[in-house]
């Protein structure tokens, strides 16, 4: 939280509690990547890790509908 942030009067910020990655949509994206492309892999080197991670990232970036569905939370939307 920063004092520099200008919050509109019609918004209320609720800080995420520490240790609750399930409330952070990005953590769910990383879990999806791990579950689908990085599980059961024995990496041969650091470069191999980077190569696999970049490949997985490119795959998920080509699937915006999956990203949207992972990031949606019923409790976070008023509509």
């Amino acid at each position: 939280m920063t004092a520099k942030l200008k919050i509109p009067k019609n918004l209320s910020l609720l800080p995420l509690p520490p240790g609750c990655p399930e409330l952070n949509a990005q953590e769910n994206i990383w879990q999806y990547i791990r579950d689908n492309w990085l599980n059961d892999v024995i990496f041969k080197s650091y470069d191999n890790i980077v190569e696999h991670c970049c490949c997985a990232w490119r795959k998920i970036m080509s699937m915006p509908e999956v990203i949207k569905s992972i990031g949606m939370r019923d409790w976070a939307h008023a509509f």
Side-chain angles (χ1 to χ4, degrees):
M1 304 286 288
T2 177
K4 295 178 183 179
L5 182 63
K6 294 180 182 176
I7 303 168
K9 299 228 185 271
N10 64 338
L11 282 177
S12 298
L13 294 184
L14 298 172
L16 295 176
C20 292
E22 66 276 5
L23 298 178
N24 184 344
Q26 181 57 42
E27 292 294 333
N28 296 312
I29 299 290
W30 282 117
Q31 186 63 50
Y32 182 88
I33 290 171
R34 284 190 299 269
D35 289 346
N36 289 280
W37 299 300
L38 299 177
N39 62 341
D40 298 328
V41 178
I42 297 174
F43 300 107
K44 298 173 184 168
S45 66
Y46 172 79
D47 290 334
N48 189 241
I49 295 170
V50 172
E51 180 184 338
H52 275 79
C53 290
C54 288
C55 182
W57 187 253
R58 284 190 294 274
K59 286 179 185 177
I60 193 70
M61 291 304 295
S62 70
M63 304 165 65
E65 68 287 346
V66 172
I67 295 171
K68 183 178 178 181
S69 70
I70 293 169
M72 294 296 287
R73 298 288 177 266
D74 291 338
W75 54 265
H77 301 278
F79 51 89

